[in-house]
Amino acid sequence: TRMTTGVGNAAVLNIAGFSRLYITQSSVVPGSSNNLTVSLASAVPLTVGVRIIISGLRVLLTPSNPALPLWHAGPGNGSTPGYFGNFLEASGEWDKSAGTLRLRVTRATTPG
């Protein structure tokens, strides 16, 4: 049996990779208030509804929250290469026990 193939989102095994993904923190002091900053650039266009899952976020004190507020920084407008700006929902689904933050794309982007 031949595998069905497609292009872009129709591709059976299309995995969106990131050409840039950085996570930094505002403090290294255990138990202190801390802000995580995530910077990412997709190697493929992201369409509305795509889920981005950031995992491996362990030893955080923030309780699980299905609508954890997100802050979008910078001047990007979603079409500037290398910066997507405010292309995500205003909140993400934070699961403390799993160490995951689930985000949803609300505005299509271009690779960069």
Side-chain angles (χ1 to χ4, degrees), residues 29-93:
V29 178
S32 69
S33 180
N34 199 357
N35 292 313
L36 298 181
T37 301
V38 177
S39 175
L40 55 88
S42 176
V44 298
L46 298 176
T47 57
V48 173
V50 165
R51 293 269 179 199
I52 297 172
I53 301 171
I54 300 172
S55 61
L57 302 172
R58 304 286 182 192
V59 195
L60 298 175
L61 300 177
T62 302
S64 292
N65 185 341
L68 183 71
L70 302 175
W71 287 268
H72 303 281
N77 63 9
S79 61
T80 304
Y83 186 80
F84 294 131
N86 189 358
F87 72 105
L88 297 170
E89 285 183 322
S91 64
E93 181 184 336

